[in-house]
Amino acid sequence: MLKPDTRYTGTIVDGGIYEANSGTLGYQLLLNCEDGATDFVIWLTQKSKEKAEKTFVSLGIDPKTLRSETGIEGIASQLAGMEVVFGTRSEEYNGKTRVKVSWVGKPKEGGASAGSPLARAAAFFADATEPDPKPASFKDDPDSVPF
């Protein structure tokens, strides 16, 4: 179950045009994360046009794609399987409170673990130019190796 006021890393499972009961159009993203499945709707209204375009661009979608039916229909194939980050908030509607996704975007290059001692220690396999692949906490005693 999703927690409110939390930043998640997850995956876009699928996406497609969505029509609310009121007739308002949106583009619904189906998301999975460690706390479960959820969705996020990018509303396609005149009022939210700028925010919608900004969200699509943040996910790597060319704004020109949004200007044609075939472009819109092809977005799902571009987004399916993409790793994203998203935030949640608590929302009350008709007396019921639920956790809702408030924003979605691509993770920043390098991620949160970039530059950590363990990441550097593991990265030496790909790039042997690192001067010392061992994290500072590693002892040079062969008996300290846990395997």
Side-chain angles (χ1 to χ4, degrees):
M1 186 154 115
L2 293 176
K3 300 172 188 86
D5 304 316
T6 302
R7 180 185 172 108
Y8 285 97
T9 299
T11 305
I12 296 175
V13 177
D14 200 3
I17 297 295
Y18 169 83
E19 185 177 6
N21 291 337
S22 64
T24 303
L25 288 180
Y27 195 89
Q28 183 179 39
L29 300 175
L30 303 178
L31 306 167
N32 271 342
C33 68
E34 69 269 12
D35 285 342
T38 189
D39 73 311
F40 177 70
V41 178
I42 302 168
W43 294 109
L44 305 175
T45 65
Q46 281 303 112
K47 185 177 177 181
S48 64
K49 186 176 182 176
E50 190 175 308
K51 182 178 178 183
E53 188 168 307
K54 185 176 178 180
T55 301
F56 279 117
V57 168
S58 78
L59 294 171
I61 302 299
D62 185 336
K64 294 175 190 166
T65 302
L66 306 173
R67 289 161 178 62
S68 74
E69 291 174 32
T70 55
I72 291 280
E73 289 173 349
I75 291 174
S77 65
Q78 294 178 56
L79 297 178
M82 178 184 289
E83 183 179 337
V84 292
V85 291
F86 60 92
T88 58
R89 64 180 164 84
S90 185
E91 178 182 86
E92 187 175 329
Y93 183 73
N94 285 340
K96 293 184 180 181
T97 302
R98 73 177 198 125
V99 176
K100 182 176 178 174
V101 175
S102 55
W103 60 270
V104 66
K106 270 187 163 179
K108 291 189 174 161
E109 290 296 318
S113 64
S116 73
L118 293 178
R120 278 193 301 275
F124 84 94
F125 284 106
D127 183 6
T129 61
E130 277 292 317
D132 185 8
K134 295 178 279 184
S137 62
F138 185 83
K139 297 177 184 166
D140 286 323
D141 178 8
D143 294 330
S144 69
V145 178
F147 48 88

